[in-house]
Amino acid sequence: MSSPSSPTTAATDQGMVLTLSCPNQKGIVHAVTGALLEVEADITESQQFDSPDTGTFFMRVEFHGPATRDQVQSVLDPVRERFGMELGLWEATRRTRTLVMCSKDGRTLNDLLFQQRAGTLPIEIPVIVSNHLELQSMASFYGVPFVHIPVVKDSTINSKEQAEQRLIDLVRQYEIELVVLARYMQVLSDDLCRSLEGRAINIHHSFLPSFKGARPYHQAHDRGVKLIGATAHYVTADLDEGPIIEQEVQRVTHAQTTQDLVNRGREVEGATLCRAVRWHAQHRVLLDGHRTVVFN
Amino acid sequence: MSSPSSPTTAATDQGMVLTLSCPNQKGIVHAVTGALLEVEADITESQQFDSPDTGTFFMRVEFHGPATRDQVQSVLDPVRERFGMELGLWEATRRTRTLVMCSKDGRTLNDLLFQQRAGTLPIEIPVIVSNHLELQSMASFYGVPFVHIPVVKDSTINSKEQAEQRLIDLVRQYEIELVVLARYMQVLSDDLCRSLEGRAINIHHSFLPSFKGARPYHQAHDRGVKLIGATAHYVTADLDEGPIIEQEVQRVTHAQTTQDLVNRGREVEGATLCRAVRWHAQHRVLLDGHRTVVFN
Amino acid sequence: MSSPSSPTTAATDQGMVLTLSCPNQKGIVHAVTGALLEVEADITESQQFDSPDTGTFFMRVEFHGPATRDQVQSVLDPVRERFGMELGLWEATRRTRTLVMCSKDGRTLNDLLFQQRAGTLPIEIPVIVSNHLELQSMASFYGVPFVHIPVVKDSTINSKEQAEQRLIDLVRQYEIELVVLARYMQVLSDDLCRSLEGRAINIHHSFLPSFKGARPYHQAHDRGVKLIGATAHYVTADLDEGPIIEQEVQRVTHAQTTQDLVNRGREVEGATLCRAVRWHAQHRVLLDGHRTVVFN
Amino acid sequence: MSSPSSPTTAATDQGMVLTLSCPNQKGIVHAVTGALLEVEADITESQQFDSPDTGTFFMRVEFHGPATRDQVQSVLDPVRERFGMELGLWEATRRTRTLVMCSKDGRTLNDLLFQQRAGTLPIEIPVIVSNHLELQSMASFYGVPFVHIPVVKDSTINSKEQAEQRLIDLVRQYEIELVVLARYMQVLSDDLCRSLEGRAINIHHSFLPSFKGARPYHQAHDRGVKLIGATAHYVTADLDEGPIIEQEVQRVTHAQTTQDLVNRGREVEGATLCRAVRWHAQHRVLLDGHRTVVFN
């Protein structure tokens, strides 16, 4: 490998993002910044967090410099080994390849597609999957391939098992890094949840207090809540209980009908999901056990 | 009774608040405003709500004029009977007699006392009750009698039953109209809850999602919530499930400790409780089954 | 005219919205509700406000019943004359015919179009006008005619004067009731502003403190503001100083660049403008001198 | 000086806060963390920011370890000199000595005193100064000496000049590190502002748009704003234009009177000022030209 100061690489000025976590001990930041200094990296943003709960140290660094990704990886390797780090290294301009799943409600899909095209969401969306056809024209307007994967109970050709296998095939085929459930109204199997752990984000309505069971907006209306909200979280086998990335609320009153609450809810859900996806795609979200560390 | 235009009452210009609820039907507003017109009342604020859930009609009117409270009551009586109304009529300047219960944490008590004295909370507080002594000096600074009612498990002289009887006696003695639980850390008995229904307000921490059981802030921290909140609600026998008056949230991050969450929570609780008490004391909160109608 | 109880109209159950304003005096609500009672109207929502600043009384009523619009108008006419009311009466399901003007930034246009199609914005958009071509494909996706009206300084065929005349023609041709400036980056002439007064809504970035002059987001960044916001207001000849309909803010930090602030700003602007347009289209916004009364 | 590992100091475990700023260049973090490693410091919180506007690098580190403040200072001195750093080093448990100035309105003073006593504000308040006597009893309740310094126009013994001299004397006498203007209704002279620069915090009402001149709440009411807010900022000679530390808003409606706006404003002002004071006292606020970097 060429040295960091070789003429071929010196011409570039590559922006990169580094994330790491490891058992906390003295000297981590010193070692990491020493390695980055070695490849003449210029740090532009850096955050760290020492979790008192798990004893884990978390760090995210944005930097740029003449070194290639491989060169940076090389100087970091000994540091990684010394501290037992989990370490990620990405080119800053690289867009996270994202598969979006949806059903009939287009609000969150529209938010994602618009922001992606406007350049405020650092993802690319090579494919959209839906168990319905309603949102095909929206996908088509944004020029994104739309794959219809119906799920039919007790069907031999469109069973949930087969549908999930097709999804897994698409994830492989399109080299998907992130799956976003944009109001996809099918419960994923435990196996699929586990296989996507840490790389699938869901959006969920949320209330104070929360409501279990069916028709939550009806329950919220019956209870006369004054705030309705949304929670964006990573998907885990434990339904709707995955690590929380972002939450948001909006005010409602006694005069609003259940349908008003639903509409208001959709608005909050779209905005909250977009923020969660943006932070994930910028490698700002790290897992600390069941909690997230969000460096935003 | 003197007529509305009699010289003695014409001199006064009495502000009043009227609240009413009844099964919805045509002609209610016309009848009510007709009666108020009869006593030359000038309406300054009026709100109404037709609940589609319970078929109940709600109305709140602020007005002023030359008529006395008795005169207004007289012209409203036939309307009340005709429509089967529950009806309340108050002089606008009258302050709701409020008993505040607290334990050791003074944040919400301090908010209530300061705002009461500053004139931004239309209540008077003739007595404060606590099962501890920590907040006696604060009560004394604000010149409010402080009654210490300890509650001791399995005690023969300070049992919960005796403590609640002393509270009931104080409510009678001080002609209390509203009991506010300002972080009072004792569960009230079902009987007491029922006897105070509609005239006791509690403040409760709230999260998305909510957490059952002990040490909720620890649970919220463990779950990594991004918002913490508070719910002010009427006390019912069904613990912490009474009709919601007001809710509020504040943002927190992964870096905040459980203690930070508790501090932030206290701040939200104080502000939320003050708003709920203000609206109740201004007769802006009406009960629609298990929901509240808040005319604010 | 047929009587309210005639068989032909009794079959319908027409929802309507009534708004009115007049100098405040006793008996208004009684008279209005009496008239509505006459046509057997069932009131479902009603709000009123007595402005102490201008002495004006404002009222908005939603009701339904067997009477036609003409029949309701007939019974209200004497009331209108007696109190000198400005009075509006609309069928509740009627959508406000709205012309949207835009330039290159599609965020707010996208929000309006999506919400209009989703049915959460009670408007129809028969035509979109832009001085640029960038947003033509978005208009086309939503099936809305797009009229390109370029504005060229010192041009003889595309002067501002001619552009505004073409706009006025479109307003007439399409029977437009509301003009929405969705980040339309041309200053309208005083004459046009005046001719659209009360039926044109603009969205404007807003800061605490505010910044006059060019490049406000740069100024806001330089000043290190912690909140950025948006104000939706009616267009008046006095640029960006028209009656405020709605305002909203979002939190920013020192780490965000001017571009980040712009992106965040666009998000707030879109949400704020949609709310203002919804309330206007539901006849919830009344003018009280230079202020708005918003019955929401 | 004893070595870091000497038995006498090894027994202690001292928490400290380090803040620094210098022209940005490579190697700063590596050098700082290297020095801290030398004294066996364990970093618990660390934030940094590279200002693209001024080319300045900012850093705040919380750590604990066996070294004394002098020992830490010693290892940092060469780093400071090498990079031309402005550097601050504080014991974490040390409370900032704060002088509070007030006039008649006690809301913000009450918030500060209560939170200080509750332990959620890491300051001590050795003295309160006021140009009026109204808040003396509140100071007395919290056991804080109250100094009355009246300011009388054209007076020979209570002139503004003399009042400010007495204030300066108190700042010296009480070894004051921070002056907080808690709704102190006198304009400070340019000279005093300059001499307190960076160590005096003021709270100011704020609106979108903002209003210049007298009676801002009346202007805000006249303009019909939907949000009112507050800005906490450092005092500079340029009145109310100092670097912003924190801002907050609350929603208001057309129905609220000017007095309602003032009450709501006071509430926001108190909460906003407390946050700003807390962050300053925790050494979380650094100056980047006219902007603040807030590491919270």
Side-chain angles (χ1 to χ4, degrees), chain A residues 3-78:
Chain A
S3 83
S5 56
S6 72
T8 36
T9 59
T12 70
D13 186 69
Q14 185 82 44
M16 281 184 220
V17 176
L18 166 71
T19 63
L20 63 90
S21 62
C22 62
N24 193 25
Q25 57 169 292
K26 284 172 202 156
I28 302 172
V29 178
H30 189 62
V32 170
T33 53
L36 292 178
L37 204 55
E38 222 178 294
V39 289
E40 293 174 52
D42 201 4
I43 296 173
T44 50
E45 191 182 330
S46 172
Q47 286 140 306
Q48 56 194 77
F49 176 63
D50 175 12
S51 168
D53 300 299
T54 60
T56 309
F57 176 86
F58 297 89
M59 190 173 189
R60 180 187 183 275
V61 186
E62 269 191 54
F63 60 91
H64 61 94
T68 63
R69 196 183 166 288
D70 284 350
Q71 289 166 340
V72 177
Q73 187 76 57
S74 293
V75 296
L76 285 171
D77 269 346

Side-chain angles (χ1 to χ4, degrees), chain C residues 229-288:
Chain C
T231 298
H233 61 91
Y234 284 115
V235 170
T236 56
D238 194 355
L239 183 68
D240 298 327
E241 295 284 328
I244 296 169
I245 304 170
E246 173 63 342
Q247 301 185 300
E248 190 55 272
V249 292
Q250 268 205 11
R251 194 157 281 278
V252 295
T253 77
H254 63 268
Q256 285 170 301
T257 63
T258 301
Q259 187 55 49
D260 293 335
L261 265 54
V262 169
N263 293 342
R264 199 59 74 93
R266 291 288 173 273
E267 205 178 308
V268 192
E269 289 169 10
T272 308
L273 182 59
C274 279
R275 279 212 288 274
V277 168
R278 181 179 304 118
W279 295 338
H280 176 92
Q282 292 174 337
H283 315 291
R284 293 184 180 281
V285 191
L286 284 81
L287 280 171
D288 180 23

Side-chain angles (χ1 to χ4, degrees), chain A:
Chain A
M1 185 185 295
S2 60
S3 83
S5 56
S6 72
T8 36
T9 59
T12 70
D13 186 69
Q14 185 82 44
M16 281 184 220
V17 176
L18 166 71
T19 63
L20 63 90
S21 62
C22 62
N24 193 25
Q25 57 169 292
K26 284 172 202 156
I28 302 172
V29 178
H30 189 62
V32 170
T33 53
L36 292 178
L37 204 55
E38 222 178 294
V39 289
E40 293 174 52
D42 201 4
I43 296 173
T44 50
E45 191 182 330
S46 172
Q47 286 140 306
Q48 56 194 77
F49 176 63
D50 175 12
S51 168
D53 300 299
T54 60
T56 309
F57 176 86
F58 297 89
M59 190 173 189
R60 180 187 183 275
V61 186
E62 269 191 54
F63 60 91
H64 61 94
T68 63
R69 196 183 166 288
D70 284 350
Q71 289 166 340
V72 177
Q73 187 76 57
S74 293
V75 296
L76 285 171
D77 269 346
V79 179
R80 182 176 54 74
E81 274 172 43
R82 176 178 156 206
F83 290 97
M85 284 174 178
E86 217 159 304
L87 191 145
L89 187 61
W90 294 271
E91 283 158 24
T93 54
R94 218 180 138 280
R95 292 172 167 270
T96 300
R97 292 180 66 80
T98 303
L99 182 154
V100 181
M101 300 188 75
C102 55
S103 292
K104 294 177 179 179
D105 189 294
R107 172 79 205 222
T108 46
L109 178 64
N110 184 61
D111 284 354
L112 289 164
L113 287 169
F114 181 83
Q115 292 211 27
Q116 188 275 329
R117 180 192 271 186
T120 57
L121 216 46
I123 60 173
E124 59 180 315
I125 305 177
V127 63
I128 291 169
V129 169
S130 180
N131 55 339
H132 292 281
L133 287 165
E134 277 80 354
L135 301 175
Q136 184 154 28
S137 68
M138 185 182 285
S140 148
F141 169 60
Y142 281 99
V144 180
F146 179 93
V147 178
H148 180 222
I149 306 185
V151 181
V152 183
K153 242 191 179 168
D154 305 322
S155 159
T156 50
I157 55 160
N158 287 314
S159 71
K160 186 178 195 154
E161 207 178 3
Q162 285 161 312
E164 293 199 343
Q165 188 51 56
R166 289 183 65 190
L167 177 71
I168 292 167
D169 293 346
L170 287 172
V171 166
R172 263 190 221 123
Q173 177 191 337
Y174 284 98
E175 298 179 338
I176 294 303
E177 298 162 298
L178 175 66
V179 173
V180 175
L181 306 181
R183 307 266 331 145
Y184 178 69
M185 302 307 281
Q186 283 281 331
V187 176
L188 304 186
S189 71
D190 283 11
D191 280 354
L192 183 57
C193 286
R194 261 187 292 271
S195 82
L196 292 175
E197 218 161 86
R199 47 189 191 121
I201 296 177
N202 192 14
I203 183 73
H204 200 254
H205 49 74
S206 300
F207 308 95
L208 314 85
S210 66
F211 304 102
K212 303 282 178 194
R215 312 215 308 169
Y217 280 99
H218 287 79
Q219 290 188 61
H221 177 81
D222 288 352
R223 188 78 171 72
V225 300
K226 305 303 182 192
L227 296 174
I228 59 167
T231 298
H233 62 91
Y234 284 115
V235 170
T236 57
D238 195 355
L239 182 68
D240 297 328
E241 295 283 329
I244 296 168
I245 304 170
E246 172 64 341
Q247 301 184 299
E248 189 57 271
V249 292
Q250 268 204 12
R251 195 158 280 278
V252 294
T253 77
H254 63 268
Q256 285 170 300
T257 64
T258 302
Q259 187 54 48
D260 292 336
L261 265 54
V262 170
N263 294 342
R264 199 58 75 91
R266 292 288 174 272
E267 206 178 306
V268 191
E269 289 169 10
T272 307
L273 182 59
C274 280
R275 280 211 289 273
V277 169
R278 181 180 302 119
W279 296 339
H280 176 93
Q282 293 173 339
H283 315 291
R284 294 184 180 280
V285 190
L286 284 81
L287 280 171
D288 179 25
H290 198 63
R291 310 177 74 218
T292 59
V293 173
V294 183
F295 287 135
N296 62 340

Side-chain angles (χ1 to χ4, degrees), chain C residues 91-252:
Chain C
E91 283 157 25
T93 54
R94 221 181 136 278
R95 294 171 166 271
T96 300
R97 293 180 64 82
T98 304
L99 182 154
V100 181
M101 301 188 74
C102 56
S103 291
K104 295 177 178 179
D105 190 294
R107 172 78 204 221
T108 44
L109 178 65
N110 183 61
D111 284 354
L112 289 165
L113 287 170
F114 181 83
Q115 292 211 26
Q116 187 275 329
R117 180 191 273 187
T120 57
L121 216 46
I123 60 173
E124 59 180 314
I125 306 178
V127 64
I128 291 169
V129 169
S130 179
N131 55 338
H132 292 282
L133 287 165
E134 277 80 353
L135 300 176
Q136 184 155 31
S137 69
M138 185 181 286
S140 146
F141 169 59
Y142 282 97
V144 180
F146 180 93
V147 178
H148 180 222
I149 306 185
V151 181
V152 184
K153 240 191 181 171
D154 304 322
S155 160
T156 48
I157 55 159
N158 288 313
S159 70
K160 186 179 198 153
E161 207 178 3
Q162 285 161 312
E164 294 199 342
Q165 187 53 54
R166 289 183 63 190
L167 177 71
I168 293 167
D169 293 346
L170 287 172
V171 166
R172 263 189 221 126
Q173 176 191 338
Y174 284 97
E175 298 180 334
I176 295 302
E177 297 162 299
L178 175 67
V179 173
V180 174
L181 306 181
R183 307 268 329 145
Y184 177 70
M185 302 307 280
Q186 284 280 333
V187 177
L188 303 187
S189 71
D190 283 11
D191 280 353
L192 184 57
C193 286
R194 258 187 293 270
S195 82
L196 293 175
E197 219 160 88
R199 48 189 191 121
I201 296 177
N202 192 14
I203 184 71
H204 200 255
H205 48 73
S206 299
F207 308 95
L208 314 84
S210 65
F211 304 102
K212 303 281 178 194
R215 310 216 309 169
Y217 280 99
H218 287 80
Q219 290 189 59
H221 178 81
D222 289 352
R223 189 76 171 74
V225 298
K226 306 303 181 192
L227 295 174
I228 60 168
T231 298
H233 61 91
Y234 284 115
V235 170
T236 56
D238 194 355
L239 183 68
D240 298 327
E241 295 284 328
I244 296 169
I245 304 170
E246 173 63 342
Q247 301 185 300
E248 190 55 272
V249 292
Q250 268 205 11
R251 194 157 281 278
V252 295

Side-chain angles (χ1 to χ4, degrees), chain C residues 53 208 221 226 247 291, chain D residues 53 208 221 226 247 291:
Chain C
D53 300 300
L208 314 84
H221 178 81
K226 306 303 181 192
Q247 301 185 300
R291 312 176 74 217
Chain D
D53 299 300
L208 317 81
H221 177 80
K226 306 303 181 192
Q247 301 185 298
R291 311 176 75 217

Side-chain angles (χ1 to χ4, degrees), chain B residues 132-295:
Chain B
H132 292 280
L133 287 165
E134 277 80 352
L135 301 176
Q136 184 155 30
S137 69
M138 184 182 286
S140 147
F141 169 60
Y142 282 97
V144 181
F146 179 93
V147 178
H148 179 221
I149 306 184
V151 181
V152 184
K153 241 191 180 170
D154 305 322
S155 161
T156 49
I157 56 158
N158 288 314
S159 71
K160 186 179 197 152
E161 207 178 2
Q162 286 162 312
E164 294 199 343
Q165 187 52 56
R166 290 184 63 193
L167 177 71
I168 291 167
D169 293 345
L170 287 172
V171 166
R172 262 189 221 125
Q173 175 191 339
Y174 284 98
E175 299 180 334
I176 294 303
E177 297 161 299
L178 175 67
V179 172
V180 175
L181 307 181
R183 308 263 335 143
Y184 178 69
M185 302 308 280
Q186 284 281 331
V187 177
L188 303 187
S189 72
D190 282 11
D191 279 353
L192 184 57
C193 286
R194 258 187 294 271
S195 83
L196 292 175
E197 218 160 88
R199 48 191 191 119
I201 296 177
N202 192 14
I203 184 72
H204 200 254
H205 48 73
S206 299
F207 308 95
L208 314 84
S210 66
F211 304 102
K212 303 282 178 191
R215 310 215 310 167
Y217 281 99
H218 287 80
Q219 291 189 60
H221 178 81
D222 288 353
R223 188 77 171 73
V225 300
K226 306 304 179 190
L227 296 173
I228 60 168
T231 299
H233 61 92
Y234 284 115
V235 170
T236 57
D238 194 356
L239 182 68
D240 296 328
E241 296 283 328
I244 297 168
I245 303 171
E246 173 63 341
Q247 301 185 298
E248 189 57 272
V249 292
Q250 268 205 12
R251 195 157 280 278
V252 295
T253 77
H254 63 268
Q256 285 170 300
T257 64
T258 301
Q259 187 54 49
D260 292 336
L261 264 55
V262 170
N263 294 342
R264 198 60 72 92
R266 291 290 173 271
E267 204 177 307
V268 192
E269 289 168 11
T272 307
L273 182 59
C274 279
R275 278 211 289 273
V277 169
R278 181 179 303 119
W279 296 338
H280 175 94
Q282 292 174 340
H283 315 291
R284 293 183 182 279
V285 191
L286 285 81
L287 280 172
D288 180 25
H290 199 63
R291 312 175 73 216
T292 59
V293 173
V294 183
F295 287 134

